[in-house]
Amino acid sequence: MEFAYIPSPSRGVVDLGPIPLRGYAFCIIIGVFVAVWLGNRRWIARGGRPGTVADISVWAVPFGLVGGRLYHVITDYQLYFSDGRDWVDAFKIWEGGLGIWGAIAFGAVGAWIGCRRRGIPLPAWADALAPGIAVAQAIGRWGNWFNQELYGKKTDLPWALKITSAEDGRVPGTYHPTFLYESLWCIGVAVLVIWADRRFKLGHGRAFALYVASYCVGRFWIEYMRVDDAHEVLGLRLNNWTALLVFVLAVVYFVVSARTRPGREEVVEPGAAEDKQLSGTGDAAADDADAGDKETADATSGGDTKSPSMTKDLIKPKSTDAAADKG
């Protein structure tokens, strides 16, 4: 007897007046906006200009969507090119189907193009975006809930997901809500990266590498729970092997980067520091004009400010880089 479960929506479309908006697309859009907002805050805190993250995202997001769709279509080609299937469905991205591996890989290419145009080191930009990407994934996974897809094995746990659709081979019943597991895991990854970045002053792409490695750990066991059709190699789903490979690459990059490029970039965007100094000079001049009829000079003078000292990296460095590197 079922006492509690997570209900599935009866339909995957949200009507905004006369405009139908699919729940899957809505989750992706909200995730992108949150990632850019959080990334912009972190980028400014690192010494960059406001708006730079959004400008580069104009390149990264379209590339990421194309890459995510390509990975999904290639690894699940039977859904679009087997007998009885319509290959045109491969272009219907709003119906679901984005592979995070392809999205990150192609998104990095788009970000690289945007960073080169702005003279910005890609690793520093990726470090600023890392937690935001994890949060975007957490939000995006709820799109699978709208589509009643990518759930796990059968269960009668109180938080089981109730599947009601019988389309495309689904069997109505209660299953592990793997979309929820991954969403919560991604939130944890974002918190971990933010904490580690503040504690160890990660630089040169190491915050991004930490995000990738920690995400892969969660994706491995969550992927193992899923029951949807997938290609297998030596008894493991293809995405499990991908998670293992990407995890190893991320850890290797983290260790090598910490040894060869210790510390954090002191300059992440050329000219940003000068802009802030000019802005500060303009503010001081305005204050002087307002206080022009005062007899004492200290009415417009301010104390010196000291810049915060750099803390040591996760692997103790001997020195820090004086300028940003291209990654």
Side-chain angles (χ1 to χ4, degrees):
M1 181 177 181
E2 299 172 358
F3 291 98
Y5 56 81
I6 300 173
S8 291
S10 58
R11 57 198 301 260
V13 180
V14 178
D15 292 318
L16 298 178
I19 303 175
L21 179 61
R22 290 187 174 271
Y24 185 89
F26 181 75
C27 292
I28 297 297
I29 293 170
I30 294 299
V32 169
F33 274 102
V34 172
V36 172
W37 171 79
L38 181 57
N40 183 64
R41 289 175 59 90
R42 287 172 51 81
W43 183 252
I44 293 173
R46 288 285 303 273
R49 292 188 178 99
T52 296
V53 167
D55 292 343
I56 297 176
S57 296
V58 170
W59 289 90
V61 172
F63 271 76
L65 291 175
V66 171
R69 189 61 175 177
L70 280 175
Y71 181 90
H72 167 72
V73 171
I74 291 172
T75 56
D76 290 303
Y77 61 86
Q78 73 280 357
L79 299 177
Y80 308 100
F81 303 106
S82 58
D83 293 339
R85 298 286 185 169
D86 187 356
W87 63 270
V88 176
D89 291 341
F91 297 95
K92 296 179 180 179
I93 191 172
W94 56 87
E95 293 185 353
L98 287 174
I100 186 61
W101 317 111
I104 293 297
F106 273 63
V109 174
W112 176 76
I113 295 173
C115 286
R116 281 189 63 88
R117 291 168 61 88
R118 298 291 294 266
I120 292 171
L122 175 61
W125 188 84
D127 283 343
L129 261 289
I133 296 175
V135 174
Q137 288 178 253
I139 297 172
R141 272 306 174 194
W142 284 85
N144 301 133
W145 176 66
F146 278 101
N147 287 351
Q148 297 197 39
E149 61 184 1
L150 306 187
Y151 44 85
K153 298 177 175 66
K154 281 182 173 274
T155 182
D156 57 359
L157 291 170
W159 57 84
L161 174 67
K162 177 88 170 185
I163 296 297
T164 58
S165 173
E167 298 179 2
D168 295 328
R170 297 183 183 92
V171 178
T174 53
Y175 299 85
H176 278 285
T178 51
F179 83 92
L180 179 61
Y181 297 161
E182 186 166 341
S183 180
L184 294 175
W185 183 270
C186 287
I187 293 295
V189 169
V191 172
L192 171 65
V193 173
I194 291 173
W195 170 81
D197 195 27
R198 288 178 177 176
R199 173 67 177 81
F200 302 109
K201 301 298 181 184
L202 303 177
H204 300 287
R206 289 190 287 280
F208 186 81
L210 177 61
Y211 145 70
V212 172
S214 53
Y215 170 75
C216 288
V217 172
R219 180 60 185 267
F220 184 88
W221 66 267
I222 293 170
E223 185 74 24
Y224 193 75
M225 296 180 65
R226 283 168 43 174
V227 295
D228 54 297
D229 292 333
H231 297 289
E232 293 188 358
V233 179
L234 299 178
L236 283 180
R237 294 164 65 98
L238 177 61
N239 280 331
N240 282 115
W241 287 108
T242 304
L244 280 172
L245 175 61
V246 175
F247 171 81
V248 171
L249 293 177
V251 171
V252 170
Y253 177 88
F254 189 100
V255 174
V256 173
S257 174
R259 294 184 180 278
T260 59
R261 297 178 180 179
R264 173 186 276 184
E265 301 93 336
E266 294 183 1
V267 177
V268 296
E269 185 167 5
E274 289 78 0
D275 289 348
K276 291 182 179 180
Q277 291 176 355
L278 290 174
S279 176
T281 301
D283 294 341
D287 292 340
D288 287 342
D290 293 338
D293 57 339
K294 294 185 179 181
E295 297 180 355
T296 56
D298 33 290
T300 56
S301 64
D304 293 337
T305 58
K306 296 182 180 180
S307 59
S309 60
M310 298 289 288
T311 59
K312 296 182 179 179
D313 202 347
L314 186 60
I315 296 180
K316 185 168 70 175
K318 296 292 185 180
S319 61
T320 56
D321 292 339
D325 297 316
K326 288 292 272 185

